[in-house]
Amino acid sequence: MRIKRLVGAAVGTTLLLFTAVPTASAAGTTVAPTRSAAHDALDRTALRGTLDAFHEAGMYGAYSAVREGRDGWKGASGLADVDTGRKVTPNMRHRIGSISKTFTAVAILQQVEKGRIKLDAPVTRYVPDLFPGADRQRGDAITVRMLLNHTSHLGDYVLGAFPSLAQNSTASLDEHRFRTIRPQELVRLGLAAPATGSPGAQPGSYSNTNYVVAGLILEKVTGQKAATYLTRNVIDRAGLHHTAFPRTPYIKGPHAKMYESFYGLIDPPRDYSVYDMSWAYTAGALTSTMDDLNRFYAKLLTGKLIGRASLAEMQRTVPVNVGPGVAIDYGLGIYTLEIPGCGTFWGHDGGVFGAGTISLTRADGRRQLSLGFTLMKYQRLNEEGTELEPSPIDEALNVHVGTALCDAPGTDAGTESKPSSKSSKPSGSSGSVGESGSSAGAAGGERVLPDGLVGVDLSTGGQVVSPAAPVPN
């Protein structure tokens, strides 16, 4: 079977864009969002039902934390271990992937406030050794801001770090499970990958290499390991008690197993919860809980981690390509979504092998959702091996996110949600999780789930490859 554009064709963690998503009950029927009690800001019955429906659709396990002002809800559904039947719980720790980028951007902006870093200075002012020889001119043209908003056009290192992925083989995932890889080597692999454009050109192109360089700049100007600085000045300052850079391949504290399918290449899906995350570094190595993520973004958006001027810089967005024909509005380590009837949301999502996470917070910091789940790249190829077929898991995921963020009265069911004014519908794309702008929700509800690589999934990187044929594991 011929497989085209498998790597980079879609991600397990999907950017959710939708309008008036109907609420699904645990039994799978569609009901309108309602309040469970007059004094409650959140409909706990609907949230519980849609999370259960997410599991029933095929997701192994999921945990969710939703907040509206002082009213909060937490839930979990499914299994933490499919072999033993151990169940997930709401406070489990989870690999949050590229949500780590927001933490790294905050740390850089703190150093900007101290005058140690200038956003529009060339990166070679701080880390000249990362750009030797012929790459020096390229480094001179890339600024710190370009790293953080993905307009540097540095290639992604992931396929270089896991070369079998380019041949539709997942052998590299197991071969390198306990490998420690230095961040300087990740940068070298990124520089060796094809550039995606000229530094500063828009739209940008999502690349994990950017945030590895940012982490090394942070180390240079602070004289500390990036993990040490981030822990003391971002994680501790935000009051997060269950967020950390893992020091070993093992997750400390209660956690679920994390299963990777890689679009059916790994069948049955395999657990990758034990993994040396040095390959993700400051681009995506953090573990956290859903409560901690909500607390972090609330503190960030209300000016408690960086000043208002720095937050304004963070929220200056540019279009960034995250897949063929798909762009999102990306700031400095954070992106924005406009959801009609619900408001403007900021956040990030992320994926590593086996673990997906979404964290979105309304601009005023009051309405929040953080959702973690434990089966990645669950979509399957069609019979021709050219496209990824829509999965019922995608629909259920969308419904839960819609219920969590948009169950307030007044949501405009007739307005199509858009990722941004700069986003575009893919031309001739595969429709892996529903074409942009297509009607997919029940009872007339619509949602937009962009095709292509959202850009936050570390486990495939930002490159699209077209191998001639699959290679066995």
Side-chain angles (χ1 to χ4, degrees):
M1 178 177 65
R2 183 178 177 84
I3 300 179
K4 299 178 180 178
R5 283 178 40 205
L6 176 60
V7 177
V11 293
T13 304
T14 306
L15 177 62
L16 279 294
L17 308 167
F18 48 84
T19 65
V21 181
T23 302
S25 71
T29 57
T30 301
V31 296
T34 58
R35 302 287 185 186
S36 57
H39 64 278
D40 283 339
L42 300 173
D43 186 338
R44 288 160 168 75
T45 301
L47 290 168
R48 175 77 259 171
T50 57
L51 190 63
D52 285 343
F54 184 35
H55 167 57
E56 291 164 6
M59 177 51 60
Y60 284 0
Y63 13 81
S64 178
V66 183
R67 189 175 72 88
E68 172 70 48
R70 295 183 178 180
D71 189 20
W73 173 87
K74 293 189 295 184
S77 187
L79 301 178
D81 187 326
V82 298
D83 293 323
T84 66
R86 176 170 60 96
K87 294 185 180 299
V88 288
T89 60
N91 296 318
M92 283 185 158
R93 301 184 187 187
H94 191 70
R95 298 198 189 278
I96 63 172
S98 288
I99 293 176
S100 306
K101 290 180 173 66
T102 311
F103 288 75
T104 300
V106 167
I108 292 290
L109 285 164
Q110 289 176 346
Q111 293 304 302
V112 170
E113 291 177 343
K114 293 178 182 294
R116 295 173 180 167
I117 295 176
K118 292 187 180 299
L119 283 174
D120 296 311
V123 295
T124 47
R125 176 181 297 184
Y126 309 103
V127 284
D129 293 344
L130 288 183
F131 298 86
D135 287 317
R136 178 56 186 258
Q137 185 176 1
R138 187 178 176 191
D140 289 342
I142 295 171
T143 67
V144 176
R145 186 189 302 275
M146 292 176 197
L147 297 177
L148 299 185
N149 68 11
H150 295 293
T151 58
S152 76
H153 291 279
L154 290 171
D156 203 296
Y157 64 79
V158 171
L159 289 182
F162 299 95
S164 75
L165 299 183
Q167 285 78 45
N168 283 347
S169 166
T170 59
S172 293
L173 310 192
D174 296 308
E175 291 169 1
H176 300 313
R177 185 185 289 264
F178 296 103
R179 171 190 60 176
T180 297
I181 185 167
R182 298 176 68 244
Q184 290 84 356
E185 175 63 9
L186 298 177
V187 175
R188 187 192 68 78
L189 293 171
L191 288 171
T196 56
S198 300
Q202 294 186 23
S205 181
Y206 194 98
S207 173
N208 294 299
T209 308
N210 290 318
Y211 275 78
V212 174
V213 177
L216 290 169
I217 290 174
L218 186 66
E219 291 191 351
K220 187 73 171 182
V221 301
T222 64
Q224 304 176 47
K225 290 293 186 183
T228 300
Y229 180 89
L230 282 159
T231 300
R232 293 173 179 172
N233 296 279
V234 181
I235 294 169
D236 291 348
R237 184 171 174 179
L240 312 183
H241 300 297
H242 308 292
T243 301
F245 280 94
R247 296 182 179 180
T248 74
Y250 300 89
I251 300 174
K252 185 178 180 180
H255 63 278
K257 289 189 173 182
M258 298 168 190
Y259 297 90
E260 179 67 43
S261 173
F262 219 99
Y263 314 118
L265 287 183
I266 304 174
D267 189 13
R270 193 174 303 141
D271 170 37
Y272 287 96
S273 58
V274 177
Y275 216 98
D276 186 316
M277 295 300 294
S278 59
W279 67 274
Y281 188 56
T282 47
L286 279 173
T287 62
S288 189
T289 63
M290 302 307 105
D291 261 351
D292 265 13
L293 290 180
N294 282 347
R295 186 173 293 109
F296 167 68
Y297 279 108
K299 291 286 183 74
L300 172 61
L301 293 173
T302 54
K304 294 180 175 64
L305 298 179
I306 53 176
R308 292 292 182 179
S310 294
L311 182 60
E313 289 284 0
M314 203 172 193
Q315 293 178 316
R316 287 177 56 187
T317 62
V318 297
V320 171
N321 286 334
V322 294
V326 182
I328 57 173
D329 275 350
Y330 201 96
L332 306 183
I334 196 169
Y335 60 64
T336 184
L337 302 178
E338 292 286 344
I339 304 178
C342 299
T344 301
F345 288 81
W346 293 90
H348 216 293
D349 55 331
V352 294
F353 304 123
T357 320
I358 299 167
S359 189
L360 295 169
T361 295
R362 202 168 58 204
D364 60 6
R366 290 180 57 82
R367 187 69 177 226
Q368 297 188 280
L369 162 70
S370 289
L371 172 69
F373 44 97
T374 64
L375 174 62
M376 287 293 281
K377 298 180 211 66
Y378 44 77
Q379 298 94 346
R380 293 301 181 103
L381 288 156
N382 62 9
E383 291 184 0
E384 293 76 25
T386 58
E387 298 179 1
L388 293 171
E389 297 179 341
S391 167
I393 297 175
D394 294 323
E395 295 295 333
L397 172 62
N398 191 76
V399 170
H400 180 68
V401 174
T403 302
L405 297 179
C406 299
D407 67 355
T411 300
D412 183 358
T415 305
E416 180 182 300
S417 176
K418 299 180 180 179
S420 73
S421 59
K422 304 179 183 69
S423 298
S424 59
K425 182 178 178 180
S427 174
S429 56
S430 66
S432 60
V433 284
E435 279 197 349
S436 266
S438 65
S439 177
E446 294 181 350
R447 60 96 175 93
V448 179
L449 293 169
D451 294 336
L453 182 69
V454 173
V456 292
D457 188 354
L458 278 165
S459 59
T460 52
Q463 301 179 49
V464 175
V465 297
S466 300
V471 176
N473 286 347

